[in-house]
Amino acid sequence: MLPADDLTNRARNQFFEKRRKVFPRQIDGPFRRFKWLVMVVTLTIYYASPWLRWNRGPHAPDQAVLIDLAHRRFYMFSIEIWPQEFYYVAGLLVMAALGLFLVTSAVGRAWCGYTCPQTVWTDLFLHVERFIDGDRNAQRKLDDAPWGPAKIARRLSKWSVWLAIGVLTGGAWIFYFADAPTLFHQLITGTAPRVAYATVFVLTMTTFIFGGFLREQVCIYMCPWPRIQGAMLDEQSLVVTYKAWRGEPRSHGVKRQLEAASLSPAGDCIDCLACVAVCPTGIDIRQGPQIGCITCALCIDACDEVMRRVGRPPKLIGYTTEVDEELARAGLPAKSPLRRVLRQRTIVYFTIWAAVGLAMLFTLGNRERLTLDIAQSRNPVWVRLSNGEIRNSFTIKLSNMEERPRRFIVTVDGIKGRLWDESRGSDQSVSALAYDVPADQVATHSLYLAAPDSGPQQTPILIVARALDRDGGQAVGKARFERPEESQ
Amino acid sequence: MGEGKHIDPATGTETVGHEWDGIEELDTPMPRWWLLTLYATIVFAIGYTIYYPAWPMIGGATAGLSHWSSRDQLSAEMKSESARRKPLMLALAQIPVERLPDDSKLMHAAIQGGAAAFRVNCVQCHGSGAAGGKGYANLNDDDWLWGGDLKTIYQTIDHGVRFAPDPATRVSQMPAFGRDGLLPPAQIGDVAAYVMTLSGAARPGASAARGSLVFAATCAACHGADGKGNRLLGAPNLTDRIWLYGGDRETIVETLTNGRGGVMPAWGGRLDPATVKMLAAYVHSLGGGEKFVPDAEPQGEAQAEAGKVPAPVKQNASR
Ligand code: SF4
Ligand code: SF4
């Protein structure tokens, strides 16, 4: 009753289930061509990004995209992020999540079908497989064939190509974390750090296993995303649908001819199973929407080709929404795509997504590339000097977040006092201290501030750091000057 | 349940046989690779406990094939750290301590290292904030018994104060004027009254006036006629607001009666010169450090020191 390829038709009374191998057939069509394009674009971005150069002057790396873990810096074109600015990365992740929500509510599981790395690399591996083993039927035959020299040769060559792709994939990954040309040279000459080789190995193996063997199992059993996505789809979401009202009753061969002769209404589906044959996850879309469908749309290409051949209108399988499907069944025109996309849910997602993005852009554009952190010494809180004055001490951290050395002037507002630091004595006190901080570095200094002992127990003060260069800039920190209780 | 399998009609999958308000649970079989992965992790876990120390025994845990221990790991890390710091320690051993400020990088490293060494060796007396206590000098302030420039601080740490085993230690003596019968109690009271006027803690009076005469005859030899002290003798300045033992009348009388003679060990005997230099740099950086003023002859001395072969690192090189 249930077709053999039904994903959910499981062997009964079994503790585990053997995986049914999927041998998707090659197909050509508009969606396939679009997938090619997406594959080229995404893989190019992945492999080429680390090689892009970006001039940041002599004090910073010239790699456009670089996650410099050793120095705790993240470079992305003109943006440089310090660890304490990690909220920008968090913001990017929030945007990525919202972007996925937005895309899902607008065009369904497009992420799964076109751009997910699992999909892209599996697709790539499938093409390699077809190139070496032939198409669906040849692959099947080879799989059933007993092990012999020919089969071993084919398997070995297939796996080597897969492994080579895996090595390239893992290799490209580590280039994001170090200067790509240098690391490439090190990798080739065997002088790269061990962790680099280990990372390449791990990523090679995961690529090899996930792309070559686990494939749709990753989507169905390992990936959390389909479950979340399933919850986000509604009757307005685009999903790949088999239009049962058009296709049923399906029939083929003699039965179909008999039906045609008897003028009993035959559906458009000729039960050729082309849609099942091309499906990379091996499901039958005619059973309705299901978790195994990643909406890669290859079955649409396959069925359209069949429909053209049998002279029926295309899109027996097509991207459509539940609402449109109802309308179409009733013979009414579908809703305009614009109205479908611009509905409440997508607008809300888009608004939040854009708000996060704009807020980040705004703060990025206005952030001060100088920060001042102050830690007041509490041990001891105050020190009495020989002339009776009270001294407080502070540890200040001056971060020069620009990629050039800068000079900062540090002063104190809010109290009449004398200032000095760890490099001099109280007899050399000044009213302002100057520090040269190297490019992209933090300078830590002890600040000593002395004031007469008569005064309130706590005096609020401001410690101000000013940059002495063409763009200026300043950072202000609040602190307190503390006196002993008895001297009030 | 005896009456055979329940098969869910929609999915064709067997159910576990229970039913809650009409809801049944599917007994979906696991994918085979999933099960194999589970077994593989179990095998890995067993292998792991064989390779690493894991199983608790009565007298400890199994050592494991690797004989790994966190202690060994620590000592290996310490070793590599001390190897990493070797050039720094060498440079520190070579540079005369008063020249440290010329090399801001080295100075910075010395202060950091000194802070660490201070926490281990000095906090017991001087406190974790170096604020000292009664009888233990506060190292944050600008008052120094023996002097506050880098070289003098180094000397003090290196040889200690009144530390008998070190022949080069700093020595001086505040006599026990009362206990040893050098001054009668009345005169001690007068001197205390006078000393208090020096720092402005008390107003001059008849007692203080009498005390000033005793002071000039007895105390001025060390503390100076003006009471400003003498660093060569470690005699404290009595005119400032800083008191090692206390500036109230009672404490001053006690000091005069019983004398004082605090001791600091000579750290040169326990720590290597580089660490002592780091300690000096740290103490100097606490806000009271004074500038080093070369004497008439130190030029030759500094050169001689600079030319010296660095002493072998004794201990503490790892900190
Ligand atoms: S059912 Fe169609 S759209 Fe879904 S995964 Fe299979 S081929 Fe792709
Ligand atoms: S490809 Fe189209 S016609 Fe062929 S079985 Fe699938 S739905 Fe039916």
Side-chain angles (χ1 to χ4, degrees):
Chain A
M1 164 199 72
L2 285 160
D5 267 359
D6 175 12
L7 179 78
T8 53
N9 177 24
R10 294 171 196 284
R12 284 160 204 174
N13 297 325
Q14 256 186 339
F15 186 40
F16 64 80
E17 189 201 8
K18 239 172 88 176
R19 182 186 160 211
R20 274 191 317 279
K21 288 198 181 141
V22 183
F23 302 97
R25 206 189 75 200
Q26 169 104 50
I27 185 71
D28 189 31
F31 285 108
R32 176 66 257 181
R33 273 175 234 138
F34 180 60
K35 267 174 80 75
W36 280 117
L37 180 70
V38 174
M39 183 199 274
V40 168
V41 171
T42 50
L43 288 181
T44 307
I45 292 175
Y46 175 73
Y47 287 113
S49 298
W51 296 91
L52 295 178
R53 301 289 105 181
W54 190 266
N55 186 15
R56 296 190 182 86
H59 301 290
D62 66 345
Q63 186 158 320
V65 183
L66 177 65
I67 302 162
D68 190 347
L69 291 179
H71 301 100
R72 301 191 195 85
R73 298 284 183 277
F74 174 48
Y75 299 96
M76 179 114 178
F77 297 96
S78 63
I79 300 168
E80 181 193 342
I81 286 176
W82 284 42
Q84 65 265 38
E85 298 176 296
F86 195 77
Y87 44 78
Y88 287 119
V89 179
L92 272 184
L93 293 177
V94 169
M95 281 183 74
L98 286 169
L100 272 179
F101 296 171
L102 176 60
V103 167
T104 303
S105 57
V107 288
R109 285 180 70 175
W111 165 260
C112 294
Y114 301 94
T115 49
C116 172
Q118 175 64 24
T119 300
V120 173
W121 262 271
T122 301
D123 211 18
L124 188 62
F125 276 42
L126 277 171
H127 292 304
V128 171
E129 195 163 46
R130 276 186 206 122
F131 185 75
I132 290 168
D133 291 351
D135 208 354
R136 179 174 163 93
N137 293 332
Q139 283 177 24
R140 232 190 208 146
K141 232 192 237 143
L142 187 64
D143 196 56
D144 292 338
W147 283 93
K151 183 166 175 174
I152 292 175
R154 273 180 199 268
R155 282 288 182 267
L156 281 183
S157 47
K158 182 172 80 176
W159 291 344
S160 338
V161 178
W162 282 355
L163 278 173
I165 296 174
V167 170
L168 288 179
T169 306
W173 176 263
I174 60 172
F175 291 152
Y176 284 87
F177 297 86
D179 185 55
T182 317
L183 184 58
F184 180 71
H185 186 256
Q186 287 176 335
L187 276 178
I188 299 290
T189 55
T191 51
R194 247 203 290 165
V195 59
Y197 291 107
T199 311
V200 173
F201 175 76
V202 168
L203 288 174
T204 302
M205 291 325 285
T206 49
T207 312
F208 181 64
I209 293 168
F210 284 13
F213 302 97
L214 280 177
R215 294 185 177 172
E216 82 286 348
Q217 301 283 303
V218 174
C219 308
I220 296 171
Y221 292 106
M222 292 160 72
C223 181
W225 186 230
R227 326 261 149 184
I228 303 171
Q229 233 164 3
M232 271 183 314
L233 297 176
D234 61 13
E235 69 285 349
Q236 307 247 40
S237 312
L238 271 185
V239 281
V240 173
T241 313
Y242 165 71
K243 294 161 187 173
W245 57 272
R246 238 188 85 185
E248 303 296 326
R250 62 183 86 153
S251 58
H252 65 285
V254 187
K255 188 167 166 231
R256 194 171 182 88
Q257 277 160 15
L258 285 179
E259 274 170 357
S262 70
L263 291 176
S264 72
D268 281 351
C269 176
I270 58 166
D271 210 7
C272 64
L273 292 177
C275 52
V276 179
V278 298
C279 178
T281 69
I283 60 168
D284 183 352
I285 190 64
R286 294 174 302 169
Q287 288 165 1
Q290 49 204 285
I291 199 151
C293 176
I294 58 172
T295 71
C296 66
L298 292 182
C299 55
I300 304 182
D301 279 349
C303 190
D304 277 359
E305 196 186 286
V306 173
M307 290 298 109
R308 207 183 52 241
R309 266 193 278 145
V310 301
R312 296 281 179 156
K315 298 287 172 294
L316 171 55
I317 302 176
Y319 266 118
T320 182
T321 70
E322 215 181 303
V323 171
D324 283 351
E325 217 24 42
E326 289 294 323
L327 293 172
R329 192 178 304 195
L332 297 168
K335 268 166 83 174
S336 88
L338 203 64
R339 268 192 52 209
R340 188 183 55 73
V341 170
L342 293 182
R343 61 188 204 272
Q344 200 180 3
R345 181 193 283 242
T346 53
I347 291 170
V348 168
Y349 282 147
F350 179 79
T351 314
I352 307 177
W353 179 82
V356 174
L358 285 176
M360 291 220 307
L361 275 183
F362 181 77
T363 52
L364 265 177
N366 288 293
R367 65 188 177 156
E368 192 64 77
R369 301 318 277 152
L370 150 67
T371 64
L372 170 68
D373 291 298
I374 304 165
Q376 183 150 16
S377 173
R378 303 248 137 233
N379 181 17
V381 175
W382 52 266
V383 172
R384 186 178 294 283
L385 299 184
S386 51
N387 64 1
E389 278 178 323
I390 295 301
R391 189 200 87 189
N392 279 202
S393 51
F394 309 87
T395 303
I396 60 164
K397 282 194 166 132
L398 278 168
S399 308
N400 176 15
M401 298 161 95
E402 291 284 5
E403 282 133 5
R404 55 171 193 273
R406 283 200 288 176
R407 166 166 289 193
F408 301 116
I409 295 289
V410 175
T411 52
V412 172
D413 281 352
I415 197 163
K416 265 206 163 63
R418 307 185 290 124
L419 205 58
W420 69 98
D421 67 2
E422 75 281 354
S423 67
R424 57 189 93 206
S426 64
D427 49 342
Q428 294 159 275
S429 60
V430 288
S431 56
L433 290 159
Y435 294 112
D436 287 317
V437 186
D440 203 48
Q441 279 188 26
V442 184
T444 307
H445 293 283
S446 300
L447 211 65
Y448 300 114
L449 174 64
D453 70 346
S454 56
Q457 197 190 336
Q458 289 189 339
T459 312
I461 57 169
L462 293 178
I463 298 179
V464 186
R466 279 188 198 87
L468 288 190
D469 65 353
R470 53 198 151 78
D471 326 325
Q474 74 168 25
V476 181
K478 278 190 196 152
R480 282 190 311 250
F481 187 82
E482 310 231 17
R483 294 184 173 87
E485 256 169 87
E486 74 263 24
S487 67
Q488 279 169 32
Chain B
M1 264 178 272
E3 4 89 40
K5 307 288 176 196
H6 292 249
I7 305 295
D8 172 55
T11 59
T13 309
E14 197 182 319
T15 70
V16 292
H18 303 290
E19 190 201 305
W20 296 271
D21 294 339
I23 300 172
E24 284 177 274
E25 190 184 347
L26 295 183
D27 192 8
T28 311
M30 287 170 271
R32 184 168 58 176
W33 63 263
W34 193 96
L35 208 63
L36 292 178
T37 310
L38 175 68
Y39 294 150
T41 58
I42 293 172
V43 170
F44 175 84
I46 293 171
Y48 190 89
T49 63
I50 294 171
Y51 186 72
Y52 281 110
W55 298 103
M57 297 286 163
I58 290 173
T62 52
L65 292 178
S66 66
H67 288 278
W68 180 90
S69 88
S70 51
R71 209 167 288 208
D72 291 347
Q73 188 181 1
L74 176 72
S75 73
E77 276 168 15
M78 294 299 273
K79 212 183 254 167
S80 78
E81 175 64 9
S82 81
R84 191 184 68 80
R85 288 190 2 153
K86 199 149 200 164
L88 172 74
M89 298 302 278
L90 259 165
L92 270 173
Q94 264 161 341
I95 196 169
V97 66
E98 66 276 11
R99 291 279 183 78
L100 261 179
D102 302 345
D103 185 342
S104 68
K105 252 208 185 122
L106 198 55
M107 180 71 176
H108 186 75
I111 292 174
Q112 301 288 316
F118 189 89
R119 277 195 287 276
V120 176
N121 299 295
C122 313
V123 293
Q124 291 82 349
C125 294
H126 289 285
S128 59
K134 187 172 175 178
Y136 300 106
N138 183 345
L139 305 174
N140 292 286
D141 62 30
D142 56 344
D143 189 28
W144 300 90
L145 290 169
W146 302 93
D149 65 84
L150 272 169
K151 201 173 173 184
T152 315
I153 296 174
Y154 177 84
Q155 171 81 12
T156 307
I157 301 173
D158 198 18
H159 295 291
V161 180
R162 300 181 197 95
F163 185 66
D166 190 323
T169 193
R170 296 195 183 278
V171 241
S172 68
Q173 183 69 41
M174 167 76 184
F177 289 99
R179 206 176 58 209
D180 295 347
L182 301 175
L183 292 174
Q187 284 194 349
I188 286 180
D190 291 344
V191 172
Y194 173 67
V195 165
M196 287 188 74
T197 65
L198 287 176
S199 57
R203 281 161 194 280
S207 168
R210 286 193 302 275
S212 79
L213 299 176
V214 184
F215 187 91
T218 316
C219 316
C222 292
H223 289 282
D226 52 2
K228 287 225 156 82
N230 183 348
R231 287 182 170 182
L232 291 175
L233 301 168
N237 180 351
L238 303 174
T239 65
D240 66 17
R241 295 281 305 273
I242 294 169
W243 298 89
L244 182 56
Y245 292 91
D248 57 303
R249 190 184 159 83
E250 217 174 305
T251 313
I252 293 174
V253 168
E254 192 198 321
T255 304
L256 284 162
T257 308
N258 296 322
R260 297 288 183 192
V263 173
M264 177 164 105
W267 290 97
R270 307 188 188 190
L271 307 175
D272 59 276
T275 306
V276 177
K277 274 178 199 169
M278 293 198 290
L279 280 172
Y282 172 66
V283 170
H284 186 267
S285 77
L286 289 174
E290 293 172 354
K291 223 184 163 98
F292 174 72
V293 187
D295 310 338
E297 89 292 20
Q299 204 120 8
E301 195 191 321
Q303 266 167 12
E305 231 176 285
K308 252 197 259 167
V309 185
V313 174
K314 272 187 228 162
Q315 88 166 70
N316 244 5
S318 53
R319 210 173 293 115

